[in-house]
């Protein structure tokens, strides 16, 4: 018996990186998976790779109609949700003097609005005693030049958890934030505008991280499994850093 045997888990941003690694981890522990991501071709590959009867839905969490359509599929095929990993998100560098309304809107529409309504619209399907995991970031706790909009969006995620646990406590639904440090994912490497900048980002990361390296997506997925499973049954409202120590010093 796996740690998630018979549980229904929803993962957004599941086509690559942390979301895909977590889908593999949850499937290995027996979960029934519903995966949502924006790019159809990558999502199809992810669903095939995860196997275990995983279902995929192509949609954008910044679009409420897509979220509603996704949960219609979940309700039709499963009727209930035990675990939600609200993982979809993203950001890009922009110095304060160059932040545009478009940059702000794109970041907050996905990371803040998208997360809010991904959770809200899941609640009618949620079983009491379930687990909600929000993807935060060390950026929400530390300063990073030219990353203030993204960092502010992740600080909002932390605040969501603190408030939602009070509202969802009567149903026994736990809400926690999983905050990765620098992790070797397509999204992280995609922040660089060139191979040279990517190498420099990696060098700087190793220099400021006590463990001296980037995380792997599997290491973040292991922490997501803890928060999803009964092993964290008395953990709610927390922020679990999986960051090699970078935000702790």
């Amino acid at each position: 018996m796996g740690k998630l045997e018979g549980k229904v888990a929803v993962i957004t941003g599941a086509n690559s990186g942390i979301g895909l690694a977590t889908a593999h981890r949850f499937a290995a522990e027996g979960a029934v998976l519903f995966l949502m991501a924006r790019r159809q071709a990558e999502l199809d590959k992810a669903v095939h790779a995860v196997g275990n009867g995983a279902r995929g839905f192509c949609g954008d969490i910044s679009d409420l109609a897509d979220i509603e359509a996704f949960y219609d599929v979940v309700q039709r095929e499963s009727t209930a949700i035990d675990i939600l990993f609200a993982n979809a998100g993203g950001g890009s560098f922009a110095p304060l003097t160059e932040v545009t309304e478009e940059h702000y809107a794109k970041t907050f529409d996905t990371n803040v609005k998208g997360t809010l309504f991904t959770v809200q619209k899941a609640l009618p399907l949620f079983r009491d005693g379930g687990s909600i995991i929000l993807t935060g970031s060390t950026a929400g706790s530390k300063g990073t030049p030219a990353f203030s909009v993204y960092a502010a969006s992740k600080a909002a995620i932390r605040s969501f958890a603190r408030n939602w646990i009070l509202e969802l406590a009567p149903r026994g639904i736990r809400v926690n934030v999983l905050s990765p440090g620098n992790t070797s994912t397509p999204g992280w490497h995609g922040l660089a505008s060139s191979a040279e900048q990517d190498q420099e980002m990696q060098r700087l990361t190793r220099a400021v991280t006590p463990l001296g390296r980037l995380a792997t997506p599997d290491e973040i997925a292991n922490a997501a499994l803890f928060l999803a499973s009964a092993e964290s049954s008395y953990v709610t409202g927390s922020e679990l850093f999986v960051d090699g120590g970078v935000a702790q010093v």
Side-chain angles (χ1 to χ4, degrees):
M1 292 286 288
K3 294 178 181 179
L4 304 181
E5 196 70 36
K7 301 293 187 181
V8 176
V10 167
I11 302 176
T12 63
N15 61 320
S16 66
I18 292 168
L20 179 56
T22 302
H24 280 289
R25 194 74 178 88
F26 283 10
E29 294 292 339
V32 175
L33 289 167
F34 290 86
L35 311 179
M36 182 177 181
R38 289 185 296 121
R39 295 181 290 277
Q40 185 71 63
E42 291 182 29
L43 177 61
D44 291 343
K45 291 179 182 178
V47 168
H48 178 74
V50 170
N52 203 42
R55 288 83 153 175
F57 180 90
C58 187
D60 187 336
I61 65 163
S62 68
D63 185 331
L64 269 63
D66 281 1
I67 297 174
E68 291 170 348
F70 175 51
Y71 286 129
D72 284 345
V73 171
V74 176
Q75 183 174 32
R76 185 167 62 248
E77 298 191 14
S78 181
T79 72
I81 299 170
D82 299 287
I83 301 157
L84 169 60
F85 185 22
N87 170 68
S92 57
F93 290 117
L96 175 59
T97 54
E98 298 177 15
V99 171
T100 63
E101 184 176 6
E102 180 183 14
H103 173 82
Y104 166 84
K106 182 178 181 181
T107 305
F108 268 70
D109 280 356
T110 299
N111 295 355
V112 182
K113 185 184 84 172
T115 298
L116 166 62
F117 289 105
T118 295
V119 173
Q120 182 202 71
K121 294 184 181 302
L123 292 178
L125 301 179
F126 238 86
R127 287 192 178 100
D128 291 355
S131 174
I132 296 171
I133 306 163
L134 313 178
T135 296
S137 172
T138 54
S141 301
K142 293 179 68 69
T144 306
F147 219 31
S148 60
V149 176
Y150 175 81
S153 74
K154 290 301 184 177
I157 297 300
R158 182 67 184 98
S159 184
F160 278 160
R162 286 194 170 102
N163 289 274
W164 291 345
I165 63 169
L166 302 176
E167 297 183 51
L168 298 177
R171 295 184 56 189
I173 297 173
R174 300 179 295 110
V175 185
N176 291 287
V177 180
L178 175 57
S179 289
N182 296 290
T183 306
S184 185
T185 66
W188 190 88
H189 293 287
L191 290 169
S193 59
S194 65
E196 292 75 16
Q197 186 181 25
D198 183 23
Q199 290 299 315
E200 179 64 8
M201 285 169 50
Q202 293 185 55
R203 185 190 68 79
L204 292 172
T205 294
R206 290 192 294 270
V208 301
T209 304
L211 289 184
R213 62 178 177 82
L214 276 71
T216 68
D218 287 341
E219 289 176 308
I220 313 302
N222 288 337
L225 175 61
F226 167 71
L227 293 175
S229 74
E231 291 182 354
S232 61
S233 58
Y234 202 58
V235 179
T236 192
S238 72
E239 182 172 17
L240 175 56
F241 288 95
V242 188
D243 65 350
V246 72
Q248 317 310 317
V249 294

